[in-house]
Amino acid sequence: MRHHYEIAVTKLIPDGATLSPPISFAAESHDDLADIIRRVTDRGLFDPEETKAFCVGLKLLGGVMLQHRDKELFKDFAPAFGALMKTLKAR
């Protein structure tokens, strides 16, 4: 089952107002991001905000890497990314 997401990033200024229009894009994942965030939160690896950023960033990077696994850009990084994912899933 594919999960569909709308990702939006909004730059804030100190008073909480937005400075510019958000950057937004659609993304898909075979994983439920809310479930992943809950599981990583339960492990207590990071504070709640860092956990969300870590999980979403990891899933977005992993998805792009999978789509472009034959690209030279990911050649050296892919083994380390795979090891990170194995370590994360094993805990």
Side-chain angles (χ1 to χ4, degrees), residues 31-48:
D31 294 310
D32 181 344
L33 286 174
D35 184 52
I36 291 171
I37 291 168
R38 180 193 53 76
R39 286 187 280 149
V40 174
T41 297
D42 289 349
R43 293 181 185 165
L45 299 174
F46 313 107
D47 73 42

Side-chain angles (χ1 to χ4, degrees), residues 6-28:
E6 176 73 20
I7 309 294
V9 179
T10 305
K11 184 175 183 178
L12 302 176
I13 54 177
D15 68 0
T18 61
L19 188 59
S20 59
I23 299 165
S24 64
F25 57 93
E28 289 185 359

Side-chain angles (χ1 to χ4, degrees), residues 14-84:
D15 68 0
T18 61
L19 188 59
S20 59
I23 299 165
S24 64
F25 57 93
E28 289 185 359
S29 177
H30 64 275
D31 294 310
D32 181 344
L33 286 174
D35 184 52
I36 291 171
I37 291 168
R38 180 193 53 76
R39 286 187 280 149
V40 174
T41 297
D42 289 349
R43 293 181 185 165
L45 299 174
F46 313 107
D47 73 42
E49 292 301 302
E50 287 177 325
T51 297
K52 291 178 217 172
F54 174 75
C55 293
V56 172
L58 197 62
K59 288 306 298 178
L60 291 173
L61 177 60
V64 171
M65 286 180 60
L66 269 174
Q67 288 181 336
H68 301 281
R69 61 180 150 257
D70 58 333
K71 302 281 185 188
E72 182 69 24
L73 176 65
F74 298 119
K75 179 183 169 190
D76 294 331
F77 183 62
F81 186 83
L84 171 71

